[in-house]
Amino acid sequence: ATVTEVAIAPDGRRLATSALSSRDSVRVWDLATGALLATPEWPDAPARSVAFDPRGERLAAVGNGGFIRVWDATDLKTVWTTVGHLRNIHAVAFSPDSRRIATGGDDGFVRIWDAATGARLGEFRSPVEVQAVAFDPEGRRLVAGSNEGSVYLLDPATAKLERVIRSDDRNVRGLAFSPDGRTLASGGAGMSIRLWDPETGHELLTLEGHKAQINALAFSPDGSTLTSADHSGAVLTWSAAPLASK
């Protein structure tokens, strides 16, 4: 089955995956040996994203049917679960302090949840599907990418809209902040990576090189490189050093 997301636990010992399979869609692996450690409880439905919280205390997954489930990362017992959206959920992210979870889905909603209890804390509705969500490293912003190219900058506690970045890209599927929070990278069906100043919404740079839809973006911990992956299987690495002068 197609693997939709990979997440590494903060301790570097375990790897979680989500997949478009009808059974055992969420799996946890030993990162050193590749051995399957567990298939935590999940509905018989595809899972579309997984994430560990920064403290390594919880694991979250989202998927088809609007399902959200959060487990204790140690014993993989369910902490809470809910049907949180009316349609499929594509994205999940923890805030840097591990206290909140953001989700985005085909119903256009971005929702914020209490990571410990599952209580809904806020929501924003886009007119079209939301495919990606990300918190900035300091937890000051939440961003969401939509199918018509807009990147929404939201209040990370309430999901109140603060700014809209209008990209000419389509179907934004990848979002990533640089470690210092000063640069936001986005990518999608337009096959270009766009780098933005999240404070002003101004475009800093466009990176060309992919020949297929961009699905994922990640900065290295030191911010020196940006890695991108596309639908054809290509993975490209870019030097982020020139951004320091932008």
Side-chain angles (χ1 to χ4, degrees):
T2 299
V3 175
T4 53
E5 189 69 83
V6 174
I8 297 175
D11 62 8
R13 298 171 59 187
R14 291 162 298 152
L15 173 76
T17 58
S18 56
L20 297 181
S21 54
S22 58
R23 297 188 64 184
D24 297 336
S25 303
V26 179
R27 301 185 180 196
V28 179
W29 312 79
D30 184 296
L31 192 56
T33 67
L36 178 63
L37 298 176
T39 54
E41 184 180 0
W42 177 258
D44 291 337
R48 293 188 173 269
S49 189
V50 289
F52 282 100
D53 80 314
R55 296 176 181 170
E57 297 175 352
R58 297 184 179 92
L59 171 66
V62 297
N64 285 16
F67 291 114
I68 305 171
R69 189 177 289 264
V70 176
W71 299 271
D72 182 294
T74 301
D75 58 18
L76 295 177
K77 292 182 178 179
T78 298
V79 177
W80 59 270
T81 185
T82 188
V83 176
H85 290 249
L86 298 176
R87 298 167 62 190
N88 298 345
I89 306 176
H90 290 273
V92 62
F94 279 93
S95 61
D97 64 5
S98 300
R99 296 175 61 184
R100 299 183 303 280
I101 294 172
T103 56
D106 283 345
D107 57 4
F109 279 104
V110 178
R111 289 189 164 130
I112 299 175
W113 311 86
D114 185 296
T117 67
R120 189 190 302 178
L121 304 177
E123 67 180 27
F124 164 78
R125 189 169 193 178
S126 160
V128 295
E129 296 93 333
V130 171
Q131 301 277 353
V133 295
F135 287 92
D136 80 345
E138 295 183 359
R140 295 183 303 146
R141 293 185 181 87
L142 170 65
V143 293
S146 76
N147 270 12
E148 45 84 23
S150 294
V151 177
Y152 302 105
L153 278 71
L154 309 172
D155 182 285
T158 65
K160 181 181 178 181
L161 180 65
E162 295 183 343
R163 184 188 299 275
V164 181
I165 296 175
R166 301 289 184 186
S167 170
D168 60 3
D169 201 352
R170 295 173 291 109
N171 198 357
V172 176
R173 287 181 172 261
L175 291 169
F177 280 97
S178 60
D180 63 8
R182 296 174 59 188
T183 303
L184 171 65
S186 68
M191 299 182 288
S192 299
I193 300 169
R194 301 186 186 277
L195 303 174
W196 311 90
D197 181 335
E199 288 285 350
T200 65
H202 293 159
E203 186 173 343
L204 302 174
L205 194 64
T206 299
L207 303 175
E208 306 283 356
H210 282 280
K211 305 300 182 184
Q213 172 180 287
I214 297 167
N215 291 328
L217 297 163
F219 281 91
S220 61
D222 65 0
S224 64
T225 59
L226 172 66
T227 300
S228 53
D230 71 27
H231 213 63
S232 73
V235 178
L236 304 182
T237 299
W238 313 81
S239 173
L243 297 179
S245 62
K246 297 292 181 180

